[in-house]
Amino acid sequence: MKCLSRDEMEMFLTQSAVTNRSGIADHIAACSDCQRLKDALLQEQEQWSREMYAETLPESFTDQVMSALRDEEMESVAPAPMTERAGRAVVKRIRKMWWAAAGVASILVLLGVASFYSVPTVAEIIRSLFSRNNVDIGLLRAQEFGLVQHPNIKVKDKGYTLKIDEAVADPTRVVMALQLFGPDGKHERERLKLLEERNGNRIVVKDEQGKVLGSLYDYGMTSDFYYLVAFFSEPIPSNRITIEGQIGVLDGDPWEKGFPVIKGNWNFEFPIDMTEAQKQTKITELQGEYNSPDGLTVRLKRLTRMVQGVRLELDTELSPKALVRSPGDLWQKQELIFHFEDAAGSEIHSVNSRKFPRMDSLMTQSRIPGDKPGLMHLSYTFKYLPEDQPYRLVFDGYSVAERDGSSVSFEPARLKEEPVFFRTDGDDIRLKGFTIEHPPNTNSDETEGTLHVDGKLWNEFSYDDWTARDLEGKEYRVSMRGASGSNGSGWKDGMIELSQDYEFRIPGMLTVPERLTLIRNVVIKRYVNVDWSVEMNGSPGNRQ
């Protein structure tokens, strides 16, 4: 996976609807460059928070103010005819009472401010998402059906306290807010890392038989607590699940302050009753099939509505002619491009679109090969799709891995003065320099040849396979490093733009070769010559 740009990292930290979130989180955990960028952005966010918001009021504030009010003498007035003297007395009493009421009102306002800026609960996550115009309909529905559960977990060891007050679960996902307080009582947002292979820490979801259904990971979103989420690619059928945490190490070191590793026991376990959530699950069989000009057939299967999400299932199948272009297991690397729109044509959500801006509420997806070459079972789980209003699915295109073989030869030492271009199938990459990089400025402990590039791509490149061959015929694998982005204006246009500092890294190349050939063995071919839409909440059928 490529390293994230600053914009991509900000999107990962602040938006829930980022595709392949768990894969990105794994990459960040293993990549020092992305980890530094993430930490820098979180530190920046924390600094803004400190500068914009007032400090929390001390616990003694309320008692001090109430004590001051009790010490203030309240003048009583006996009933009397409304004379000039009595009138003045009443006015004086009203002024006293107004002062007291103002004091109480001030306390209520200040207490409200203090409460607002304290550590939020899951309910406050909902409000913060709403304020960002990125409403988490799933959490709102979970709250509506009373599915927010309170495990009241509190585990203390070595001066650190782990707390879990709220969790939400349905067949789609588990959401949990976890807090970790240090010896000084302050929340430690970066000390806990869930990296089972590295430190043994994990939080898993198990069914009634003890089978692990998934793992929770840090979703980002806020610096006030660990917003932990587990997504399920298949709806889980269990009526009861168990959340099990195995936490034995606090080794996060935010901002490289030299915090020591702390070993202890913060293990926990609690059940979640899924009975009510399962009752809310509704399955609708779908109809609709489309054959694309270049040999991909799409068949709709079913729509499953759950409390926190809506799952769309469909099949794709490549024709025999298309399979020739995708031999081996290349045909399994497929991605669909589509969006949902309402009756007025306004966007609801999109998947794999290059349009910007766009709406994206995809929580998880799955790709399972079928029982014959070319057949794939796909599913997409969204936070929300309209239930009582008409809307349609619009198919915008697809991509699939195909055998390529396009190449370009060049003299690496001359690239800076005479750039060379790799141009094929709508892709335009400029090769503009070549250097040899040594650790630690490499992706591993090896010395790497570095081909400096920029340019634009029409095709996708998530599964691209590149190699480099020198004059002696020795071949090297090639990996990519750098930021990229897209900015299309419509559903079928837009190019992927490589940043100015984008690089092709060649591990094991120790010196600048006299001549080099860059070969793209596999291309993720993008097709948009399609025309199909399906009414989802109206009459079943196709519109072509």
Side-chain angles (χ1 to χ4, degrees), residues 231-267:
F231 292 110
F232 307 119
S233 58
E234 299 283 337
I236 58 175
S238 302
N239 287 325
R240 180 185 175 92
I241 60 174
T242 298
I243 311 299
E244 181 183 288
Q246 298 173 0
I247 310 297
V249 176
L250 302 180
D251 60 351
D253 188 0
W255 336 138
E256 300 180 355
K257 293 180 180 179
F259 290 161
V261 173
I262 299 174
K263 296 184 177 181
N265 183 353
W266 296 273
N267 295 344

Side-chain angles (χ1 to χ4, degrees), residues 336-350:
L336 298 186
I337 308 168
F338 60 94
H339 71 276
F340 297 100
E341 60 185 33
D342 61 20
S346 298
E347 176 189 358
I348 300 173
H349 304 304
S350 65

Side-chain angles (χ1 to χ4, degrees), residues 443-476:
N443 290 330
S444 64
D445 295 332
E446 289 186 274
T447 298
E448 296 175 343
T450 301
L451 183 58
H452 302 272
V453 306
D454 59 25
K456 297 181 178 181
L457 302 175
W458 167 253
N459 296 296
E460 303 293 340
F461 65 117
S462 52
Y463 303 113
D464 274 6
D465 178 13
W466 296 74
T467 55
R469 183 189 303 131
D470 62 21
L471 281 177
E472 286 71 39
K474 182 178 180 180
E475 290 197 351
Y476 302 82

Side-chain angles (χ1 to χ4, degrees), residues 113-180:
V113 172
S115 174
F116 182 80
Y117 292 117
S118 62
V119 176
T121 62
V122 169
E124 288 170 324
I125 300 174
I126 296 171
R127 287 196 291 271
S128 67
L129 288 172
F130 183 79
S131 68
R132 295 190 186 104
N133 294 320
N134 189 22
V135 182
D136 191 328
I137 300 295
L139 281 179
L140 289 172
R141 284 173 56 84
Q143 186 184 48
E144 175 187 349
F145 288 110
L147 301 181
V148 179
Q149 304 197 24
H150 304 276
N152 297 319
I153 297 295
K154 186 175 183 180
V155 184
K156 186 174 183 179
D157 194 17
K158 304 297 171 54
Y160 284 81
T161 302
L162 181 149
K163 291 185 64 179
I164 303 171
D165 291 327
E166 292 168 308
V168 179
D170 80 338
T172 305
R173 62 175 175 170
V174 173
V175 181
M176 187 173 77
L178 182 149
Q179 298 168 266
L180 180 69

Side-chain angles (χ1 to χ4, degrees), residues 96-312:
K96 286 279 188 177
M97 292 180 66
W98 177 89
W99 186 93
V104 173
S106 299
I107 293 171
L108 292 174
V109 170
L110 290 170
L111 288 177
V113 172
S115 174
F116 182 80
Y117 292 117
S118 62
V119 176
T121 62
V122 169
E124 288 170 324
I125 300 174
I126 296 171
R127 287 196 291 271
S128 67
L129 288 172
F130 183 79
S131 68
R132 295 190 186 104
N133 294 320
N134 189 22
V135 182
D136 191 328
I137 300 295
L139 281 179
L140 289 172
R141 284 173 56 84
Q143 186 184 48
E144 175 187 349
F145 288 110
L147 301 181
V148 179
Q149 304 197 24
H150 304 276
N152 297 319
I153 297 295
K154 186 175 183 180
V155 184
K156 186 174 183 179
D157 194 17
K158 304 297 171 54
Y160 284 81
T161 302
L162 181 149
K163 291 185 64 179
I164 303 171
D165 291 327
E166 292 168 308
V168 179
D170 80 338
T172 305
R173 62 175 175 170
V174 173
V175 181
M176 187 173 77
L178 182 149
Q179 298 168 266
L180 180 69
F181 296 98
D184 58 1
K186 294 182 179 179
H187 187 245
E188 297 278 2
R189 180 61 178 84
E190 291 295 317
R191 291 309 306 271
L192 175 61
K193 301 294 183 183
L194 298 176
L195 302 172
E196 183 177 1
E197 294 183 358
R198 192 185 82 183
N199 59 20
N201 291 343
R202 71 172 192 166
I203 302 176
V204 297
V205 183
K206 293 184 176 182
D207 64 12
E208 292 141 315
Q209 287 73 43
K211 178 184 176 181
V212 175
L213 303 173
S215 299
L216 281 86
Y217 64 92
D218 190 355
Y219 202 51
M221 297 292 295
T222 176
S223 60
D224 295 316
F225 52 87
Y226 296 87
Y227 186 4
L228 304 179
V229 179
F231 292 110
F232 307 119
S233 58
E234 299 283 337
I236 58 175
S238 302
N239 287 325
R240 180 185 175 92
I241 60 174
T242 298
I243 311 299
E244 181 183 288
Q246 298 173 0
I247 310 297
V249 176
L250 302 180
D251 60 351
D253 188 0
W255 336 138
E256 300 180 355
K257 293 180 180 179
F259 290 161
V261 173
I262 299 174
K263 296 184 177 181
N265 183 353
W266 296 273
N267 295 344
F268 62 88
E269 180 180 311
F270 63 89
I272 294 183
D273 188 345
M274 298 275 288
T275 306
E276 188 59 36
Q278 294 288 7
K279 291 179 181 178
Q280 304 302 325
T281 300
K282 300 177 182 178
I283 299 176
T284 303
E285 299 297 327
L286 299 177
Q287 297 179 5
E289 180 175 316
Y290 175 74
N291 298 306
S292 76
D294 289 288
L296 180 77
T297 297
V298 182
R299 302 184 188 95
L300 298 180
K301 292 174 63 178
R302 67 183 61 90
L303 196 71
T304 303
R305 292 188 175 276
M306 297 160 282
V307 173
Q308 293 191 80
V310 183
R311 185 171 186 258
L312 171 68

